[in-house]
Each structure stands twice: as C-alpha cells, then as structure tokens.
Coordinates of all heavy atoms in Angstrom, one line a residue:
W1 N -10.8 -9.3 10.9 CA -12.1 -9.1 10.2 C -12.1 -9.8 8.9 O -13.1 -10.5 8.5 CB -12.5 -7.6 10.1 CG -13.8 -7.4 9.5 CD1 -15.0 -7.1 10.2 CD2 -14.2 -7.4 8.1 NE1 -16.0 -7.0 9.3 CE2 -15.6 -7.1 8.0 CE3 -13.5 -7.6 6.9 CZ2 -16.3 -7.1 6.9 CZ3 -14.2 -7.6 5.7 CH2 -15.6 -7.3 5.7
E2 N -11.1 -9.7 8.1 CA -10.9 -10.3 6.8 C -11.0 -11.8 6.9 O -11.6 -12.5 6.1 CB -9.7 -9.8 6.1 CG -9.7 -8.4 5.7 CD -8.5 -7.9 4.9 OE1 -7.5 -8.7 4.9 OE2 -8.6 -6.9 4.2
E3 N -10.3 -12.4 7.9 CA -10.3 -13.8 8.1 C -11.7 -14.3 8.4 O -12.1 -15.3 7.9 CB -9.3 -14.2 9.2 CG -7.8 -14.1 8.8 CD -7.4 -15.0 7.7 OE1 -8.0 -16.1 7.6 OE2 -6.5 -14.7 6.9
E4 N -12.3 -13.6 9.3 CA -13.7 -14.0 9.7 C -14.7 -14.0 8.5 O -15.5 -14.9 8.4 CB -14.2 -13.1 10.8 CG -15.6 -13.5 11.3 CD -16.0 -12.5 12.4 OE1 -15.2 -11.7 12.9 OE2 -17.2 -12.6 12.8
H5 N -14.6 -12.9 7.7 CA -15.5 -12.7 6.6 C -15.0 -13.3 5.3 O -15.8 -13.2 4.3 CB -15.9 -11.2 6.5 CG -16.6 -10.7 7.7 ND1 -16.0 -10.3 8.8 CD2 -18.0 -10.5 7.9 CE1 -16.9 -9.8 9.7 NE2 -18.1 -10.0 9.2
K6 N -13.8 -13.7 5.3 CA -13.2 -14.3 4.1 C -13.2 -13.4 2.9 O -13.6 -13.8 1.8 CB -13.8 -15.6 3.8 CG -13.6 -16.7 4.9 CD -14.1 -18.0 4.5 CE -14.0 -19.0 5.7 NZ -12.7 -19.0 6.3
Q7 N -12.9 -12.1 3.1 CA -12.9 -11.1 2.0 C -12.0 -9.9 2.4 O -11.7 -9.7 3.6 CB -14.3 -10.6 1.7 CG -14.9 -9.8 2.8 CD -16.3 -9.3 2.5 OE1 -17.2 -10.1 2.4 NE2 -16.4 -8.0 2.2
F8 N -11.5 -9.2 1.4 CA -10.6 -8.0 1.7 C -11.5 -6.9 2.1 O -12.6 -6.7 1.7 CB -9.8 -7.6 0.5 CG -8.7 -8.6 0.2 CD1 -8.6 -9.3 -1.0 CD2 -7.6 -8.8 1.1 CE1 -7.6 -10.1 -1.3 CE2 -6.6 -9.6 0.8 CZ -6.6 -10.3 -0.4
R9 N -11.0 -6.0 3.0 CA -11.6 -4.8 3.4 C -10.5 -3.7 3.4 O -9.9 -3.4 4.5 CB -12.3 -4.9 4.7 CG -13.1 -3.6 5.1 CD -13.8 -3.8 6.4 NE -13.0 -3.9 7.6 CZ -13.4 -3.9 8.8 NH1 -14.7 -3.8 9.1 NH2 -12.5 -4.1 9.8
M10 N -10.2 -3.2 2.3 CA -9.0 -2.3 2.1 C -9.4 -0.8 2.3 O -9.3 0.0 1.4 CB -8.4 -2.5 0.7 CG -7.9 -3.9 0.5 SD -7.4 -4.2 -1.2 CE -6.7 -5.9 -1.1
E11 N -9.8 -0.5 3.5 CA -10.2 0.8 3.9 C -9.1 1.7 4.3 O -8.1 1.1 4.9 CB -11.3 0.8 5.0 CG -12.6 0.1 4.5 CD -13.6 0.0 5.6 OE1 -13.3 0.4 6.8 OE2 -14.8 -0.4 5.3
R12 N -9.2 2.9 4.1 CA -8.2 3.9 4.6 C -8.0 3.8 6.1 O -9.0 3.7 6.8 CB -8.5 5.3 4.2 CG -7.5 6.4 4.5 CD -8.0 7.7 4.1 NE -8.3 7.8 2.6 CZ -7.4 7.9 1.6 NH1 -6.1 8.1 1.9 NH2 -7.8 8.0 0.4
G13 N -6.8 3.8 6.6 CA -6.5 3.6 8.0 C -6.4 2.2 8.4 O -5.8 1.9 9.5
Q14 N -6.9 1.2 7.6 CA -6.7 -0.2 7.9 C -5.6 -0.9 7.0 O -5.1 -1.9 7.4 CB -8.1 -0.9 7.7 CG -9.2 -0.3 8.5 CD -8.9 -0.5 10.0 OE1 -8.3 -1.4 10.5 NE2 -9.5 0.5 10.8
W15 N -5.5 -0.3 5.8 CA -4.5 -0.8 4.9 C -3.6 0.4 4.4 O -4.1 1.5 4.3 CB -5.2 -1.4 3.6 CG -5.5 -2.8 3.6 CD1 -6.6 -3.5 4.1 CD2 -4.6 -3.9 3.1 NE1 -6.5 -4.8 3.9 CE2 -5.3 -5.1 3.3 CE3 -3.3 -3.9 2.5 CZ2 -4.7 -6.3 2.9 CZ3 -2.8 -5.1 2.2 CH2 -3.5 -6.3 2.4
L16 N -2.4 0.1 4.0 CA -1.5 1.0 3.3 C -0.6 0.2 2.4 O 0.1 -0.7 2.9 CB -0.7 1.8 4.3 CG 0.2 2.9 3.7 CD1 -0.6 3.9 2.9 CD2 1.1 3.5 4.7
L17 N -0.7 0.5 1.1 CA 0.2 -0.2 0.2 C 0.8 0.9 -0.7 O 0.1 1.6 -1.4 CB -0.5 -1.2 -0.7 CG 0.4 -2.0 -1.7 CD1 1.3 -3.0 -0.9 CD2 -0.5 -2.7 -2.7
D18 N 2.2 1.0 -0.7 CA 2.9 1.9 -1.6 C 4.0 1.2 -2.4 O 4.4 0.2 -2.0 CB 3.5 3.0 -0.7 CG 2.6 4.1 -0.4 OD1 1.8 4.6 -1.3 OD2 2.5 4.5 0.8
A19 N 4.3 1.9 -3.5 CA 5.3 1.4 -4.4 C 6.6 2.2 -4.3 O 6.5 3.5 -4.4 CB 4.8 1.3 -5.8
Y20 N 7.7 1.6 -4.1 CA 9.0 2.3 -3.9 C 9.9 1.9 -5.1 O 9.9 0.8 -5.6 CB 9.7 1.9 -2.6 CG 9.0 2.5 -1.4 CD1 7.8 1.9 -0.9 CD2 9.6 3.5 -0.6 CE1 7.3 2.4 0.2 CE2 9.0 3.9 0.5 CZ 7.9 3.4 1.0 OH 7.3 3.9 2.1
L21 N 10.7 2.9 -5.5 CA 11.8 2.6 -6.4 C 13.1 2.6 -5.6 O 13.4 3.6 -4.9 CB 11.9 3.7 -7.5 CG 10.7 3.9 -8.4 CD1 10.9 5.0 -9.4 CD2 10.3 2.5 -9.1
L22 N 13.9 1.5 -5.8 CA 15.1 1.3 -5.0 C 16.3 1.3 -5.9 O 16.5 0.3 -6.7 CB 15.0 0.0 -4.2 CG 16.3 -0.3 -3.4 CD1 16.4 0.6 -2.2 CD2 16.2 -1.8 -2.9
D23 N 17.1 2.3 -5.9 CA 18.4 2.3 -6.7 C 19.3 1.3 -6.1 O 19.7 1.5 -4.9 CB 18.9 3.7 -6.7 CG 20.2 3.8 -7.7 OD1 21.1 3.1 -7.5 OD2 20.1 4.8 -8.5
L24 N 19.8 0.3 -6.8 CA 20.7 -0.7 -6.3 C 22.0 -0.1 -5.8 O 22.7 -0.7 -5.0 CB 20.8 -1.8 -7.2 CG 19.6 -2.7 -7.5 CD1 20.0 -3.9 -8.4 CD2 18.9 -3.2 -6.3
S25 N 22.4 1.0 -6.4 CA 23.7 1.5 -6.1 C 23.7 2.3 -4.8 O 24.6 2.3 -4.0 CB 24.3 2.4 -7.2 OG 23.4 3.5 -7.4
T26 N 22.6 3.0 -4.5 CA 22.5 3.8 -3.3 C 21.7 3.1 -2.2 O 21.8 3.5 -1.0 CB 21.8 5.1 -3.6 OG1 20.4 4.9 -4.0 CG2 22.5 5.9 -4.7
K27 N 20.9 2.1 -2.6 CA 20.0 1.4 -1.7 C 19.0 2.3 -1.0 O 18.4 1.9 0.0 CB 20.9 0.6 -0.6 CG 21.9 -0.4 -1.1 CD 21.2 -1.5 -1.8 CE 22.1 -2.7 -2.1 NZ 23.2 -2.3 -3.0
K28 N 18.7 3.4 -1.6 CA 17.7 4.3 -1.0 C 16.4 4.2 -1.7 O 16.2 4.4 -2.9 CB 18.2 5.8 -1.2 CG 17.2 6.8 -0.6 CD 17.7 8.2 -0.8 CE 16.7 9.3 -0.3 NZ 17.2 10.7 -0.5
P29 N 15.3 3.7 -0.9 CA 14.0 3.6 -1.5 C 13.2 4.9 -1.6 O 13.3 5.7 -0.6 CB 13.3 2.6 -0.5 CG 14.0 2.8 0.8 CD 15.4 3.3 0.5
I30 N 12.6 5.2 -2.7 CA 11.8 6.4 -2.8 C 10.3 6.0 -3.1 O 10.0 5.3 -4.0 CB 12.3 7.2 -4.0 CG1 13.8 7.6 -3.8 CG2 11.4 8.4 -4.3 CD1 14.4 8.3 -5.0
N31 N 9.4 6.5 -2.3 CA 8.0 6.2 -2.3 C 7.4 7.1 -3.4 O 7.0 8.2 -3.1 CB 7.4 6.5 -1.0 CG 5.9 6.1 -0.9 OD1 5.3 5.7 -2.0 ND2 5.3 6.2 0.2
V32 N 7.2 6.6 -4.6 CA 6.7 7.4 -5.7 C 5.2 7.5 -5.6 O 4.6 8.5 -6.1 CB 7.1 6.9 -7.1 CG1 8.6 7.1 -7.3 CG2 6.8 5.4 -7.2
T33 N 4.5 6.5 -5.0 CA 3.0 6.6 -4.9 C 2.6 7.5 -3.7 O 1.5 7.9 -3.7 CB 2.4 5.2 -4.8 OG1 3.0 4.5 -3.7 CG2 2.5 4.4 -6.1
G34 N 3.6 7.8 -2.9 CA 3.3 8.7 -1.7 C 3.4 10.2 -2.1 O 3.0 11.1 -1.4
V35 N 4.0 10.5 -3.3 CA 4.1 11.8 -3.8 C 2.8 12.2 -4.4 O 2.2 11.5 -5.3 CB 5.3 11.9 -4.9 CG1 5.3 13.3 -5.4 CG2 6.6 11.5 -4.3
E36 N 2.2 13.4 -4.0 CA 0.9 13.8 -4.5 C 0.0 12.7 -4.5 O -0.7 12.3 -5.5 CB 1.1 14.4 -6.0 CG 2.0 15.6 -6.1 CD 2.1 16.1 -7.5 OE1 1.5 15.4 -8.5 OE2 2.8 17.1 -7.8
R37 N -0.1 12.1 -3.3 CA -0.9 10.9 -3.1 C -2.3 10.9 -3.6 O -3.0 11.9 -3.3 CB -0.8 10.5 -1.6 CG -1.6 9.2 -1.2 CD -1.5 8.9 0.3 NE -0.1 8.6 0.7 CZ 0.4 7.5 0.6 NH1 -0.2 6.5 0.0 NH2 1.6 7.2 1.1
V38 N -2.8 9.9 -4.3 CA -4.2 9.8 -4.7 C -4.9 8.7 -4.0 O -6.1 8.6 -4.1 CB -4.3 9.6 -6.2 CG1 -3.7 10.8 -6.9 CG2 -3.6 8.3 -6.7
S39 N -4.1 7.8 -3.3 CA -4.8 6.6 -2.7 C -3.9 6.1 -1.6 O -2.7 6.3 -1.6 CB -5.0 5.5 -3.7 OG -5.5 4.3 -3.1
H40 N -4.5 5.3 -0.6 CA -3.8 4.6 0.4 C -3.4 3.2 0.0 O -2.6 2.6 0.7 CB -4.7 4.5 1.7 CG -5.9 3.6 1.5 ND1 -7.0 4.0 0.8 CD2 -6.1 2.4 1.9 CE1 -7.9 3.1 0.7 NE2 -7.4 2.0 1.4
Y41 N -3.9 2.8 -1.2 CA -3.6 1.5 -1.7 C -3.2 1.6 -3.2 O -4.0 1.9 -4.0 CB -4.8 0.6 -1.6 CG -4.5 -0.9 -1.8 CD1 -4.2 -1.8 -0.8 CD2 -4.5 -1.4 -3.1 CE1 -3.9 -3.1 -1.0 CE2 -4.2 -2.7 -3.3 CZ -3.9 -3.6 -2.3 OH -3.6 -4.9 -2.5
N42 N -1.9 1.4 -3.4 CA -1.3 1.6 -4.8 C -0.5 0.4 -5.2 O 0.6 0.1 -4.6 CB -0.4 2.8 -4.7 CG -1.1 4.0 -4.2 OD1 -1.8 4.7 -4.9 ND2 -0.9 4.3 -2.9
G43 N -1.0 -0.4 -6.2 CA -0.3 -1.6 -6.6 C 0.0 -1.5 -8.1 O -0.2 -0.5 -8.8
G44 N 0.6 -2.6 -8.6 CA 0.9 -2.8 -10.0 C 1.8 -1.8 -10.7 O 1.7 -1.5 -11.9
L45 N 2.8 -1.3 -10.0 CA 3.7 -0.2 -10.6 C 4.6 -0.9 -11.7 O 5.1 -2.0 -11.5 CB 4.6 0.4 -9.5 CG 5.5 1.5 -10.0 CD1 4.6 2.8 -10.1 CD2 6.6 1.8 -9.0

C-alpha cells in the first residue's frame, strides 16, 4: 500500500518499531519501549 500511494501508513497492526538496549558483554537485548508500552512505533531513543 505504501509503495502504491508513496507515503507511510504506520498503523497499529501494520507496523511495529521498538528500541532495545543491548549489553555488549551479555549480548542480551532488552526492549525498553515495550515496557509500559505507549505506542507501537517508537523511534529516536
């Protein structure tokens, strides 16, 4: 749909963007935007 209409459509259920913190020593990623979630699209951490 985005390609056809040449615009973003970042609706819930169609997009998911989260920010993770990855400790280089443990290599374990933690989803901090998924805690007490306020949005399905979270950028710019």
Side-chain angles (χ1 to χ4, degrees):
W1 185 95
E2 290 183 346
E3 288 294 331
E4 179 183 352
H5 294 83
K6 300 188 184 307
Q7 67 182 70
F8 288 118
R9 186 176 66 172
M10 296 170 176
E11 297 178 353
R12 188 180 301 276
Q14 303 296 330
W15 266 92
L16 181 62
L17 183 71
D18 276 315
Y20 288 73
L21 298 182
L22 178 71
D23 187 307
L24 291 188
S25 63
T26 66
K27 300 295 192 298
K28 180 181 179 181
I30 299 174
N31 183 358
V32 288
T33 53
V35 177
E36 298 179 356
R37 181 181 292 280
V38 297
S39 174
H40 66 285
Y41 191 94
N42 305 278
L45 186 76

